Amino acid sequence: MYEPIRSKSVHSTMAGPDDFPHRSREEELDIQLAGHLAALLAVTDELRLTAPSADLDTAAERLAQEITRLRGGRTPARATTSTRGREPDATALHRKAHALAGRALVV
């Protein structure tokens, strides 16, 4: 036999639907894109440490500007020294950078 539930559900919350802030789809995508670009910036900084290049410097600065814009003025953390104990493999870093750039393009 079926007996109706007489008490409130434990899954309901005290907060109503308008009691917490909601983000728009655009804001969510900006947050996601900023995350992908920040990861790409970290890899770019690692590449700059292994093989300094004016093109990489320019790309890193443009990435930092875009991340700052997406995050509402908060500047991204930058790598100044290698965080690894050994010399990073440039080929692996390039592969990682291409994968991260692809993710950013999807967003």
Side-chain angles (χ1 to χ4, degrees), residues 1 3 10 12 14 17 28 34 36 40 48 62 64 67 71 75 78 82 85-87 89 91 96 101-102:
M1 286 302 290
E3 184 173 334
V10 296
S12 65
M14 300 291 288
E28 290 292 339
H36 290 310
L40 181 59
R48 288 175 53 225
R62 290 183 65 198
I67 295 165
R71 289 184 174 170
T75 58
R78 300 292 301 268
S82 181
R86 59 181 171 79
E87 185 69 24
D89 178 27
T91 305
K96 190 173 183 177

Side-chain angles (χ1 to χ4, degrees), residues 1 6 10 19 28 38 45 47 50 57 72 82 88-89 93 98-99 101:
M1 286 302 290
R6 295 185 185 145
V10 296
D19 289 345
E28 290 292 339
D45 283 340
L47 278 168
T50 60
D57 293 342
S82 181
D89 178 27
L93 286 174
H98 281 279

Side-chain angles (χ1 to χ4, degrees), residues 2-80:
Y2 171 77
E3 184 173 334
I5 298 172
R6 295 185 185 145
S7 62
K8 281 187 131 184
S9 170
V10 296
H11 298 289
S12 65
T13 63
M14 300 291 288
D18 297 327
D19 289 345
F20 56 94
H22 294 278
R23 287 189 282 248
S24 69
R25 176 91 172 125
E26 253 183 54
E27 291 170 324
E28 290 292 339
L29 289 173
D30 283 350
I31 291 167
Q32 190 176 5
L33 180 59
H36 290 310
L37 292 178
L40 181 59
L41 177 61
V43 173
T44 303
D45 283 340
E46 284 282 328
L47 278 168
R48 288 175 53 225
L49 293 172
T50 60
S53 160
D55 290 337
L56 285 175
D57 293 342
T58 303
E61 287 306 314
R62 290 183 65 198
L63 281 169
Q65 290 171 355
E66 188 64 22
I67 295 165
T68 301
R69 184 189 66 80
L70 288 168
R71 289 184 174 170
R74 290 181 293 149
T75 58
R78 300 292 301 268
T80 55

